[in-house]
Amino acid sequence: MNFLEFLDEQNIQANVWSTKLDAAYNEFSTSNVTIHRLSGVQNNERKIIRLLKYLNFNLYVLFSLIRYRPDKILYFETLSGLPALLLKKIFPERVKLFVHYHEYTSPEEYRNGMFLNRFIHSIEKKLYNLFDWISHTNEVRASLFKRDVGLNDLDVKIVPNYPPLKWKLQSKRNKSNQGAPLKMVYVGALCTDTMYVREICEWVVAQNGAVHLDFWSHNISNSADVYFKEVSSSWISLKGGVDYYSLPKVLAEYDMGLILYMGHIPNYVHNAPNKLFEYLVCGLDVLFPEELKGTYPYICEAFAPRVIKVNFNKLEDLDYRTLLAVSPVNRREINFFAEEVYSTVVRSLE
């Protein structure tokens, strides 16, 4: 969405093929970017229905690309790549291929995952040397990717997932909280199996009102849903979903943003999540689990907004008073903005 908004602001016209969003989201649109939405696959659908939807998506997009005859195609993630890869095979000299990987998928995950993803990746690996652009979100993921595909000399660009500059302007945090209650927030999908949801809630309850925690989410797993029905605390609140572009105003009401991933797969271990930069740009301190090594380069405890590593399996050792805001004079400038990285992508596309 941020990338498409950047294209729109640069008056660059583009066509996008994607799947339909569910009713919990506002439908995204821009003036110069035409978005073609096809029916999305749902986890609870029968296998044959899922198969037909995947087939429909790939055939529709392939024939659309043949019709539009683009010189350059950018796709996101392996699962989106089949039409673009086939067009590259049909018109090897004319089509320039670009790919961005928002996530890192290990060889084991490809082997044990969905057949379609594994099949498309087998085509990708044969064509990587013909790509005009390959990007990952950080250096470690890029290095792992090159090792996995056996192409250590491949030029892999780094395109982090930063929020737009306007977020900094929209998030007006005029207060500096020097005392309790410490207001914490988590934004995003919730799951008790792969995230420290139980642990952080139990810790908040143990602080006896000195810490308040709000969860903003429209994607809650069954296990998390059951857990929140059992939690009874006036200091913990499940707020529901929030529109992405409303986040700056929402986050401005809090002191500290949480990252709760357990790091159960390499993708999360080597991850500096979107929400890290979203929290920081909006002026919040950030608390994250020590398993997330991809976030280590951003650790900063002396100057606000701080990024603090914690052992979420031993939260009983965490004193909330150490998390209260530092002196207003000990603040740093945050410059993680989408415009900076997307300008590089656009120059290559142009």
Side-chain angles (χ1 to χ4, degrees):
M1 288 164 60
N2 289 331
F3 178 64
L4 298 183
E5 278 216 331
F6 181 75
L7 292 181
D8 189 59
E9 291 166 0
Q10 303 300 309
N11 292 316
I12 296 173
Q13 294 188 343
N15 281 279
V16 177
W17 287 268
S18 187
T19 52
K20 291 181 180 178
L21 303 171
D22 65 38
Y25 295 85
N26 292 326
E27 196 164 83
F28 173 78
S29 64
T30 67
S31 301
N32 293 306
V33 177
T34 302
I35 302 177
H36 311 266
R37 291 184 170 90
L38 287 80
S39 182
V41 174
Q42 304 297 323
N43 291 330
N44 58 354
E45 290 176 327
R46 289 189 299 161
K47 190 173 182 179
I48 185 63
I49 300 299
R50 291 164 57 87
L51 178 62
L52 289 173
K53 285 187 174 182
Y54 279 121
L55 182 64
N56 176 65
F57 179 87
N58 285 289
L59 287 176
Y60 183 90
V61 176
L62 175 61
F63 286 117
S64 297
L65 292 175
I66 292 173
R67 173 191 169 198
Y68 280 94
R69 297 174 62 84
D71 295 321
K72 297 171 185 177
I73 305 171
L74 167 63
Y75 70 89
F76 286 71
E77 307 297 348
T78 297
L79 192 58
S80 302
L82 187 57
L85 294 165
L86 292 176
L87 204 70
K88 179 68 174 178
K89 280 183 167 289
I90 297 170
F91 304 108
E93 300 299 324
R94 181 167 67 81
V95 174
K96 292 187 176 182
L97 212 51
F98 296 66
V99 61
H100 175 66
Y101 294 103
H102 178 88
E103 313 286 357
Y104 165 72
T105 305
S106 67
E108 182 181 4
E109 289 171 279
Y110 275 120
R111 283 195 302 269
N112 299 328
M114 187 168 61
F115 168 78
L116 181 60
N117 216 34
R118 185 165 64 251
F119 171 71
I120 298 173
H121 188 54
S122 69
I123 301 175
E124 283 182 314
K125 289 191 291 186
K126 295 175 183 177
L127 296 178
Y128 277 139
N129 282 319
L130 301 179
F131 276 58
D132 284 81
W133 173 283
I134 301 171
S135 56
H136 267 273
T137 59
N138 62 52
E139 293 282 359
V140 175
R141 285 179 168 184
S143 297
L144 291 171
F145 166 79
K146 290 191 286 187
R147 180 202 66 186
D148 295 344
V149 299
L151 297 169
N152 288 319
D153 294 330
L154 206 60
D155 182 19
V156 179
K157 305 290 195 302
I158 306 303
V159 180
N161 293 301
Y162 296 157
L165 175 61
K166 62 185 178 183
W167 276 41
K168 183 177 182 179
L169 307 176
Q170 293 170 351
S171 180
K172 302 294 184 182
R173 299 187 73 252
N174 296 318
K175 69 187 185 69
S176 178
N177 186 9
Q178 295 297 320
L182 174 68
K183 296 178 69 176
M184 287 183 161
V185 63
Y186 172 85
V187 177
L190 285 169
C191 175
T192 53
D193 299 324
T194 59
M195 299 171 61
Y196 288 111
V197 174
R198 295 176 184 272
E199 289 80 358
I200 192 65
C201 286
E202 291 171 1
W203 179 81
V204 169
V205 170
Q207 305 315 303
N208 199 32
V211 180
H212 293 182
L213 171 57
D214 289 347
F215 292 93
W216 292 86
S217 178
H218 45 54
N219 184 0
I220 304 175
S221 71
N222 291 334
S223 61
D225 186 52
V226 170
Y227 176 71
F228 277 108
K229 289 177 180 176
E230 297 173 350
V231 173
S232 177
S233 172
S234 58
W235 307 311
I236 298 173
S237 179
L238 188 60
K239 295 289 190 179
V242 58
D243 178 74
Y244 179 72
Y245 290 110
S246 299
L247 274 177
K249 293 181 180 179
V250 170
L251 293 177
E253 300 299 317
Y254 297 93
D255 306 306
M256 176 165 283
L258 298 177
I259 298 171
L260 299 175
Y261 305 121
M262 289 180 175
H264 63 293
I265 55 176
N267 180 48
Y268 286 100
V269 172
H270 306 292
N271 186 24
N274 293 5
K275 56 179 62 68
L276 167 67
F277 306 111
E278 292 162 359
Y279 292 150
L280 289 175
V281 164
C282 292
L284 278 69
D285 291 335
V286 181
L287 199 69
F288 77 97
E290 63 183 10
E291 293 92 331
L292 304 192
K293 296 180 180 179
T295 306
Y296 280 26
Y298 303 97
I299 291 175
C300 177
E301 298 189 11
F303 297 92
R306 297 169 297 168
V307 180
I308 303 170
K309 170 174 63 72
V310 170
N311 184 345
F312 272 71
N313 291 305
K314 293 185 176 181
L315 285 179
E316 65 274 11
D317 297 335
L318 178 64
D319 185 342
Y320 81 89
R321 288 168 293 191
T322 65
L323 304 179
L324 295 175
V326 298
S327 168
V329 299
N330 294 333
R331 297 197 67 84
R332 58 183 176 133
E333 191 71 21
I334 296 296
N335 294 302
F336 300 125
F337 303 120
E339 290 82 355
E340 176 187 347
V341 291
Y342 290 150
S343 59
T344 305
V345 182
V346 169
R347 281 197 297 269
S348 297
L349 285 169
E350 290 177 329

